Amino acid sequence: MEIGTRYGAITMPADLGERVQQQLAQADRAGPVVHHPRARRWTFITGPARPESLTKSVAAALFRLYATVACPGAQVVLPSADDERTGYRTWVHSPDSSDTIPPLESVIEALLQH
């Protein structure tokens, strides 16, 4: 999946991702999340990044939390059937037609509260 005008993504440690996912679910803002078990990281699929939302202070806070925002033009690899079977890459929350894609800013806000 290409990051750009339609989609964004943010990756963080799995333990932090669990807490962020719970908070987003409580606010009815949960969207698709990919788990990378070997790296122990979660990638949240979001709406696109708006340049004004990634200030220096926000970037510094994300850096301290080991969270990274995917740059426009980057590729996020989604779990395939083989990935799911082998556990290489799995869905924490798979996308379906009723899902909304949360704005990147909502995920960052939830992340910074932890």
Side-chain angles (χ1 to χ4, degrees):
M1 175 182 79
E2 186 167 337
I3 301 303
T5 58
R6 188 165 182 188
Y7 296 107
I10 183 168
T11 301
M12 65 192 71
D15 60 335
L16 190 53
E18 287 181 50
R19 295 192 304 265
V20 169
Q21 178 68 1
Q22 289 172 354
Q23 185 172 340
L24 291 171
Q26 288 174 353
D28 207 22
R29 291 210 163 229
V33 180
V34 178
H35 182 208
H36 313 273
R38 291 181 185 165
R40 289 181 251 163
R41 295 184 60 79
W42 284 17
T43 298
F44 288 72
I45 308 303
T46 69
R50 293 190 329 237
E52 66 272 11
S53 65
L54 296 175
T55 63
K56 287 183 182 181
S57 62
V58 168
L62 295 177
F63 179 80
R64 285 190 296 277
L65 293 169
Y66 302 102
T68 55
V69 174
C71 296
Q75 300 285 320
V76 172
V77 180
L78 303 177
S80 68
D82 282 343
D83 289 341
E84 289 272 356
R85 185 178 44 75
T86 62
Y88 181 72
R89 188 179 297 112
T90 62
W91 288 106
V92 171
H93 184 88
S94 61
D96 66 31
S97 60
S98 66
D99 272 342
T100 60
I101 302 295
L104 175 65
E105 295 76 19
S106 295
V107 179
I108 290 174
E109 182 181 316
L111 174 61
L112 294 179
Q113 292 179 9
H114 292 282

